[in-house]
Amino acid sequence: MGTDIRQIDPLTWIIDEEGVRFFLLAGSRKALMIDSGMKTENAKEIGVSLTDLPIELLNTHADRDHINCNDQFETVYMNPAEASNYYGSCERRGEIIPVWDGDVLDLGERELEIIHIPGHTPGSIAILDVRNRRLFSGDSVQDGSIFMFGVQREMHAYRHSLKRLEGYGERFDEIYPSHGTYPVSPDLIGK
């Protein structure tokens, strides 16, 4: 298994581990890791090698392929609807710092808006990089397979979330999903 690190721009990195990817976004004061991988064992170390800024962690949702290195962080930003999935998965530790729809995380001259998009999981979120006009969609918007089976999946909520997300389309030009190809066009949401 190889881990491939690519830069989108001087302050944004993709960490791709063959099938799932996570991201590091830096501002002027701090950096934010979006998810922590599935197979990677040293996500925080990778982040430290890319920036000297303090690094915080946010999870798009708590499926196992997004939280492997969470224990390397004392806290994690996450929608609280993911708590039972998170703490029930491999006896996870650490404090969840709740993020809600409309919350803005300011990295310093880089604002990230949280958009709650339940359906794939109850607490799934997307992250809108306001200035750079990018959406980081987790699993909910991608051109690969979106798993919608199991107790946490809810197709009606998912469809409503996608319709709602279409309303944000004027605010971003490209989408960076955790699976499939990237970037993808906002047109994919309607499809």
Side-chain angles (χ1 to χ4, degrees):
M1 181 211 73
T3 301
D4 185 27
I5 301 169
R6 297 182 203 143
Q7 273 190 284
I8 300 173
D9 63 42
L11 297 174
T12 310
W13 295 266
I14 297 170
I15 301 106
D16 193 329
E17 52 177 24
E18 298 178 5
V20 65
R21 70 185 63 91
F22 54 105
F23 306 89
L24 183 68
L25 286 61
S28 62
R29 290 186 292 106
K30 61 184 175 180
L32 183 74
M33 185 167 282
I34 299 175
D35 293 333
S36 68
M38 176 175 67
K39 298 175 186 174
T40 300
E41 296 296 328
N42 61 341
K44 189 168 187 181
E45 184 179 309
I46 290 170
V48 168
S49 75
L50 299 172
T51 181
D52 293 331
L53 295 169
I55 300 171
E56 296 179 342
L57 176 65
L58 174 141
N59 284 131
T60 58
H61 62 296
D63 281 352
R64 289 177 186 236
D65 57 334
H66 296 262
I67 63 171
N68 189 56
C69 291
N70 275 30
D71 288 343
Q72 296 171 9
F73 297 83
E74 290 183 24
T75 60
V76 57
Y77 292 103
M78 185 185 305
N79 185 287
E82 293 296 294
S84 63
N85 187 21
Y86 182 67
Y87 289 123
S89 176
C90 304
E91 299 180 18
R92 293 289 166 188
R93 299 179 308 277
E95 177 189 354
I96 291 175
I97 300 172
V99 289
W100 306 99
D101 189 61
D103 282 356
V104 174
L105 301 177
D106 185 358
L107 304 182
E109 300 175 47
R110 189 172 196 178
E111 294 181 339
L112 306 174
E113 184 178 339
I114 305 301
I115 304 170
H116 186 210
I117 50 173
H120 174 63
T121 64
S124 285
I125 60 171
I127 300 94
L128 176 62
D129 186 350
V130 176
R131 180 178 291 182
N132 293 304
R133 298 185 54 82
R134 293 186 188 116
L135 184 76
F136 295 87
S137 63
D139 286 6
S140 297
V141 180
Q142 58 169 300
D143 62 5
S145 297
I146 302 171
F147 296 116
M148 291 299 295
F149 53 86
V151 295
Q152 297 219 1
R153 317 308 176 182
E154 213 306 303
M155 185 59 79
H156 294 94
Y158 179 69
R159 289 175 61 193
H160 287 291
S161 291
L162 291 179
K163 287 198 175 291
R164 183 170 174 265
L165 195 55
E166 281 184 304
Y168 285 81
E170 295 297 319
R171 297 184 59 199
F172 55 88
D173 301 318
E174 52 191 8
I175 301 171
Y176 285 84
S178 297
H179 305 281
T181 58
Y182 70 90
V184 295
S185 167
D187 296 343
L188 183 62
I189 296 170
K191 296 176 185 173

